[in-house]
């Protein structure tokens, strides 16, 4: 008997070739113990695909959470800004509060405040002209 890998001469009962270490298949032992044929492992590929999809999902979820947090912080900062506080006071008719907020070192843009005041004056003028407002 000879090694199928390197061609070395064998006695016939070796499990491995003494020259190259190749596993030997003994025809007599094959009949008693047929060789176990391993099925190709597909689980690793499926697992890798699932693992990749899971990583992508987690990444997208993290990005969405961060965007939500950033949006919330920006909305809160906008809502609590001095300009918005003044505008809310003007809209509710609390002019004393609006003046107080405006004179407390307000350094922001006055354009939106002036626009709201101008709209308010136009409404008062229209109400007066249409007789919806009493004369003092």
């Amino acid at each position: 008997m000879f090694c199928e890998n390197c061609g070395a001469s064998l006695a016939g009962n070796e499990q491995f070739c003494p020259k190259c270490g190749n596993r030997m298949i003994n025809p007599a032992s094959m009949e008693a113990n047929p060789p176990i044929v391993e099925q190709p492992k597909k689980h690793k590929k499926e697992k890798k695909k699932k693992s990749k999809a899971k990583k992508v999902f987690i990444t997208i979820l993290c990005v969405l959470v961060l965007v939500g947090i950033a949006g919330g912080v920006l909305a809160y900062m906008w809502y609590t800004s001095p300009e918005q506080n003044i505008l809310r006071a003007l809209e509710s008719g609390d002019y004393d509060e609006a003046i107080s907020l405006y004179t407390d070192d307000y350094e922001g843009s006055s354009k939106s405040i002036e626009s709201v005041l101008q709209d308010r004056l136009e409404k008062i003028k229209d109400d007066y002209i249409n007789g919806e407002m009493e004369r003092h």
Side-chain angles (χ1 to χ4, degrees), residues 28-130:
S29 68
M30 280 184 62
E31 292 172 6
N33 299 324
I36 299 171
V37 179
E38 291 185 31
Q39 298 293 328
K41 295 184 179 179
K42 294 181 182 178
H43 298 290
K44 285 186 179 182
K45 287 184 181 180
E46 289 175 11
K47 200 172 192 179
K48 285 182 182 181
K49 285 181 183 179
K50 287 181 183 179
S51 177
K52 236 182 207 184
K54 189 175 183 181
K55 286 180 183 179
V56 169
F57 176 73
I58 289 173
T59 302
I60 290 172
L61 184 64
C62 289
V63 168
L64 290 176
V65 167
L66 290 175
V67 167
I69 290 171
V73 168
L74 291 175
Y76 176 78
M77 289 174 57
W78 171 81
Y79 185 78
T80 60
S81 71
E83 180 182 14
Q84 291 301 313
N85 289 336
I86 293 169
L87 291 173
R88 278 194 299 281
L90 288 173
E91 290 297 322
S92 68
D94 191 358
Y95 300 113
D96 292 333
E97 177 69 17
I99 291 170
S100 173
L101 290 169
Y102 188 76
T103 57
D104 288 344
D105 298 326
Y106 176 70
E107 298 176 0
S109 172
S110 298
K111 289 182 181 183
S112 59
I113 295 170
E114 290 170 3
S115 174
V116 168
L117 286 173
Q118 189 169 359
D119 291 344
R120 185 76 174 153
L121 284 173
E122 289 296 321
K123 183 178 182 328
I124 291 170
K125 183 175 134 184
D126 291 342
D127 289 348
Y128 182 76
I129 290 172
N130 294 331

